[in-house]
Amino acid sequence: MAVSKPARLKVILGEDNIEKLSLPNGIPESLEDLHCSIKTTFGIQGNIRLQYMDQDFGSDFFNLNSTNDLKDLGTVKVVLSHSTSFDLDDTVSMASNDTSNVTHQMSSPESLFSRKEQWPKDFAIPHFSFETELQLEHGNSEYLASGKLLTVSSRTKSDILNRLAEDIFKYKAYPDDTHFYIVAEALIKKHPCLKEPGSSSVWSGWKQQLKYKMGNYRTQLKMQGCVEVSVNSLKAKAATDGFPAKKMKKPKRAEANFYPSLPVGQTCESLEKERLELLTEAEKRKNESVVREKMALTFAYRRQEVVNQELSVRDFRARWPALFRHYEINAEFHRLTAVPLEDTFFAQLDVHMSQLIGVIRAKGGATREKTAEIFHILDQTENIHVKRECVLKALIVFLGENPQDLIKEYFENQQDDCEGELEQLTMAVYVIRKEGGEHHEPPADIGVVIEGVKVLNELPSFTSACALLLGMIYIINLAYPKPLRFTFEVFQKVLLQLDQHKMSPKVQSLFRRLQ
């Protein structure tokens, strides 16, 4: 299996909108895979075509019909159809003949409401009603002049809390205390006249009121038929689970669209027909675009099935075989979390790599002994895939866990033993090396096993397999394996930057040393 070198492309999205695309596994062999990577990374919905800059013709752009025309550090331009939308900005101006002034909108495969991003680093306080904004403007001026706080009427307070609850729901239906603190702090920072006298934090009262308001807001949405919250109503639960807090169906690992509603105009019956058509379409050759469209259309139906029925991996793969493909796992993870999977995983691993190596090397005792051979291989190679593999193995040891609980390595002549052992595994990455091959040589096969089922094979690298295994855990809604709970916590919270405000002490300590 050939090892691809990482590549970077300059991507022109518009006249004043240029981005860099990192391709850790190199330029894809398939044009469809390149389309998928660009659409997933930059949040593009719908159909696109690509043009590449040809140096032989004075840097003019030509339609890209094969990825063989692209090289590392090349330039491509995205050309959109009229039905395509960007999620990067509310309005994006495109420099193409096909469209101009493309407005941000939901594309047809999506539900009425679909989250496009994670909780922001800086929560932006929205504008309130004109009357409320007028009061706050005068209140802030008087506070700066004399330190006098604003006496807030119940009407004004209700307007503020309602508006904040709506904006919180754009990111999370079930925020925790940390999120409420962030919003309350941001509110006081923007409008200091709302500080609470006698409160040690000057915003703790607002935080508590926001918490109550969010509960009331969910009740209102439940009455309007919002499935994300109505699924947790007592009427929707079995009699044995008739308690508000029992078996709550809500995000546990920062899923943006944990329980999405079905697309507008679609029903379970119509989407089941789409699923059956997918079984046929997935068997056809060179049919990736049709499969991608149908997978996007059936996302909410599939996700509700995952959460409600908790199917085994074998049964789930039988119903959705198209999902168990490299590019579809990346696409599904992005729909679920609003975060690119492999691109983010590789990029953050590379960003932290030198610091991780330094932190792990600095630890002595048993850790140094167990990582000695790993670092020997690391020091002897220039292959980025091998370097990443070594760092991840050393990281597992550093966290006090066993790399053999994650990675199972075999030689080609052990094929029979390999198959039997893999069928007994709950979750693992397997690597089959060529007989007599060194670590720097490409393995014969790399894949992922879940519940004894080979869900992926012929992957480009061990690091890719780790990222895709994490993606499958999210997609099938599985728990992290207990022997590797700290490893997967680092994958999620450090490398994918999901739910970073809730780290275990061990991972928090490591994260601080990487800053």
Side-chain angles (χ1 to χ4, degrees):
M1 179 170 51
V3 177
S4 302
K5 294 183 178 179
R8 292 169 294 168
L9 295 176
K10 175 182 177 182
V11 181
I12 301 175
L13 300 171
E15 186 175 357
D16 298 314
N17 192 4
I18 300 174
E19 297 281 353
K20 181 173 70 174
L21 175 66
S22 296
L23 299 166
N25 295 321
I27 296 173
E29 295 182 2
S30 162
L31 191 58
E32 290 286 346
D33 287 344
L34 180 60
H35 280 211
C36 181
S37 182
I38 290 176
K39 289 165 70 173
T40 300
T41 302
F42 303 117
I44 307 173
Q45 302 291 337
N47 296 322
I48 65 171
R49 62 184 173 88
L50 300 177
Q51 295 181 334
Y52 73 101
M53 182 183 289
D54 195 322
Q55 302 292 343
D56 295 336
F57 289 87
S59 298
D60 285 342
F61 282 94
F62 293 83
N63 290 335
L64 181 65
N65 299 313
S66 170
T67 57
N68 292 332
D69 293 322
L70 292 180
K71 297 180 180 179
D72 185 26
L73 304 180
T75 300
V76 296
K77 179 162 58 174
V78 177
V79 181
L80 308 177
S81 67
H82 286 286
S83 63
T84 304
S85 65
F86 271 103
D87 295 329
L88 297 175
D89 299 292
D90 288 341
T91 303
V92 182
S93 175
M94 298 304 303
S96 74
N97 297 325
D98 290 346
T99 186
S100 62
N101 196 28
V102 181
T103 305
H104 173 79
Q105 57 185 346
M106 292 294 185
S107 63
S108 57
E110 294 177 348
S111 60
L112 182 64
F113 177 78
S114 180
R115 295 185 180 88
K116 295 296 184 183
E117 56 183 316
Q118 286 285 324
W119 185 272
K121 292 183 179 179
D122 298 308
F123 189 91
I125 299 300
H127 289 289
F128 305 113
S129 68
F130 177 76
E131 180 183 349
T132 299
E133 287 290 341
L134 194 61
Q135 291 183 53
L136 292 174
E137 182 180 349
H138 290 308
N140 289 330
S141 298
E142 189 167 353
Y143 175 81
L144 294 175
S146 63
K148 183 179 178 181
L149 300 176
L150 178 67
T151 301
V152 184
S153 67
S154 58
R155 180 176 177 178
T156 300
K157 181 173 289 187
S158 179
D159 179 40
I160 293 173
L161 293 174
N162 280 328
R163 200 56 193 87
L164 289 174
E166 290 177 5
D167 270 33
I168 290 172
F169 190 83
K170 290 179 181 178
Y171 302 104
K172 286 184 176 292
Y174 297 93
D176 56 34
D177 272 5
T178 302
H179 298 113
F180 288 122
Y181 271 121
I182 290 171
V183 177
E185 185 179 14
L187 175 66
I188 298 304
K189 186 176 181 179
K190 183 174 181 179
H191 301 294
C193 65
L194 295 177
K195 288 181 179 179
E196 297 170 315
S199 171
S200 58
S201 62
V202 304
W203 59 71
S204 59
W206 282 104
K207 172 256 176 184
Q208 199 63 30
Q209 291 176 80
L210 269 173
K211 194 171 184 178
Y212 292 137
K213 173 57 68 174
M214 199 66 200
N216 293 335
Y217 186 62
R218 283 195 296 267
T219 300
Q220 295 172 20
L221 292 176
K222 189 185 304 178
M223 295 171 63
Q224 298 301 321
C226 176
V227 298
E228 186 175 13
V229 292
S230 62
V231 69
N232 290 315
S233 66
L234 293 181
K235 291 182 180 179
K237 293 185 177 183
T240 54
D241 300 327
F243 301 94
K246 190 172 182 180
K247 291 189 176 179
M248 285 281 285
K249 294 179 171 65
K250 64 178 184 179
K252 296 180 176 63
R253 293 189 288 250
E255 297 93 339
N257 297 297
F258 179 79
Y259 200 89
S261 55
L262 301 183
V264 177
Q266 297 288 345
T267 64
C268 289
E269 290 74 19
S270 66
L271 292 172
E272 175 63 14
K273 290 180 181 179
E274 292 287 344
R275 185 191 71 80
L276 294 174
E277 290 179 11
L278 248 175
L279 296 176
T280 302
E281 297 294 342
E283 294 179 354
K284 297 178 181 179
R285 298 181 62 186
K286 298 182 179 180
N287 201 32
E288 288 88 352
S289 60
V290 175
V291 171
R292 284 192 175 104
E293 289 177 6
K294 289 187 177 295
M295 287 296 290
L297 177 63
T298 54
F299 166 63
Y301 178 60
R302 181 167 54 256
R303 185 62 192 172
Q304 290 186 18
E305 180 180 288
V306 166
V307 176
N308 291 336
Q309 299 183 26
E310 300 179 354
L311 297 174
S312 69
V313 172
R314 193 177 300 277
D315 291 341
F316 186 66
R317 188 175 65 164
R319 286 181 59 79
W320 302 96
L323 178 60
F324 293 79
R325 301 179 180 184
H326 193 147
Y327 65 84
E328 275 302 337
I329 293 173
N330 278 281
E332 188 86 346
F333 186 84
H334 191 269
R335 288 188 281 262
L336 180 59
T337 65
V339 172
L341 176 57
E342 285 188 281
D343 288 347
T344 306
F345 193 95
F346 294 151
Q348 288 302 309
L349 178 58
D350 291 346
V351 165
H352 294 303
M353 184 176 292
S354 60
Q355 280 289 93
L356 271 172
I357 293 172
V359 169
I360 299 171
R361 283 188 189 273
K363 192 168 184 179
T367 299
R368 178 169 294 181
E369 292 180 10
K370 293 177 181 178
T371 57
E373 184 178 350
I374 297 173
F375 281 126
H376 175 72
I377 296 171
L378 175 68
D379 294 337
Q380 300 298 316
T381 185
E382 294 298 324
N383 186 310
I384 185 61
H385 297 305
V386 178
K387 283 180 176 290
R388 289 170 178 162
E389 178 180 340
C390 290
V391 170
L392 290 179
K393 286 180 177 178
L395 170 65
I396 297 172
V397 174
F398 177 83
L399 294 170
E401 297 173 342
N402 189 347
Q404 293 181 4
D405 288 331
L406 175 63
I407 180 172
K408 303 298 181 181
E409 300 189 70
Y410 305 92
F411 288 108
E412 284 182 301
N413 62 359
Q414 298 175 307
Q415 196 74 25
D416 293 338
D417 295 337
C418 162
E419 295 295 332
E421 289 183 20
L422 293 181
E423 289 178 0
Q424 306 302 316
L425 297 176
T426 302
M427 197 177 294
V429 170
Y430 70 85
V431 177
I432 299 178
R433 302 195 183 278
K434 298 174 182 178
E435 188 66 27
E438 299 294 332
H439 248 84
H440 64 271
E441 296 181 10
D445 189 21
I446 301 175
V448 172
V449 173
I450 300 177
E451 295 179 5
V453 179
K454 279 187 181 181
V455 295
L456 292 166
N457 64 343
E458 297 184 359
L459 297 177
S461 68
F462 170 75
T463 313
S464 178
C466 289
L468 293 170
L469 173 57
L470 179 65
M472 290 302 303
I473 290 173
Y474 266 78
I475 290 167
I476 311 178
N477 201 29
L478 301 173
Y480 291 150
K482 288 185 178 180
L484 295 164
R485 61 187 183 278
F486 294 121
T487 297
F488 279 94
E489 185 182 351
V490 171
F491 288 176
Q492 174 196 324
K493 298 179 180 180
V494 178
L495 300 185
L496 289 181
Q497 303 173 308
L498 292 170
D499 235 6
Q500 287 190 312
H501 68 286
K502 291 192 297 185
M503 292 184 180
S504 65
K506 178 176 286 191
V507 175
Q508 181 70 55
S509 174
L510 171 64
F511 184 64
R512 286 173 179 165
R513 297 175 70 178
L514 297 179
Q515 302 308 300

